[in-house]
Amino acid sequence: MIGKNLLADFYGISPSALSDSSLLERCLREAALESLLTPLREPVLHQFEGGGITGFLLLRESHISFHTYPEHGFLALDVFTCGRSDPEKVVEVFRKYLSPSHDQIVTAVRGGGTP
């Protein structure tokens, strides 16, 4: 196995939280810290007209990214890590700050096949 790719769909989040760039930047920073991941740059966030936000944190171990849809109370989170890091800890941080009513998590092993 080379890495893990975790996809998390969070539902039932308040639209104000999904439009709060400061809160979402805090999620990215704390998620990297709690997961022992190494940021290579500052987080990048872009807020769209209407409130949705796309965020990205480039890591030595790969990346964390998200897309928010305030009008649907939905956040899509993508965490790709290699090495010993634990992408589930990233999910825990986002859960703590966003309090989704429910979520769906899918994890894929990357580079686990034979050539």
Side-chain angles (χ1 to χ4, degrees):
M1 175 180 80
I2 293 173
K4 289 183 191 175
N5 197 180
L6 184 147
L7 303 173
D9 289 348
F10 288 165
Y11 300 92
I13 302 170
S14 80
S16 62
L18 293 172
S19 300
D20 185 339
S21 60
S22 296
L23 173 66
L24 293 164
E25 183 175 341
R26 187 176 327 130
C27 288
L28 286 172
R29 290 178 186 279
E30 189 171 315
L33 182 68
E34 292 291 322
S35 304
L36 304 176
L37 297 167
T38 313
L40 295 176
R41 302 277 189 272
E42 292 296 311
V44 175
L45 285 88
H46 174 78
Q47 187 148 21
F48 294 92
E49 188 174 318
I53 297 174
T54 291
F56 184 80
L57 182 60
L58 182 63
L59 306 167
R60 181 172 57 190
E61 300 83 4
S62 199
H63 73 268
I64 302 169
S65 65
F66 67 81
H67 306 280
T68 73
Y69 300 84
E71 68 277 18
H72 299 291
F74 176 75
L75 178 133
L77 178 66
D78 180 8
V79 184
F80 182 71
T81 62
C82 54
R84 298 180 211 192
S85 54
D86 185 1
E88 288 83 7
K89 289 186 187 258
V90 172
V91 171
E92 290 172 16
V93 170
F94 275 79
R95 269 193 199 121
K96 177 175 81 173
Y97 282 104
L98 300 176
S99 302
S101 63
H102 62 286
D103 57 51
Q104 183 176 6
I105 312 295
V106 174
T107 303
V109 171
R110 306 300 300 270
T114 55

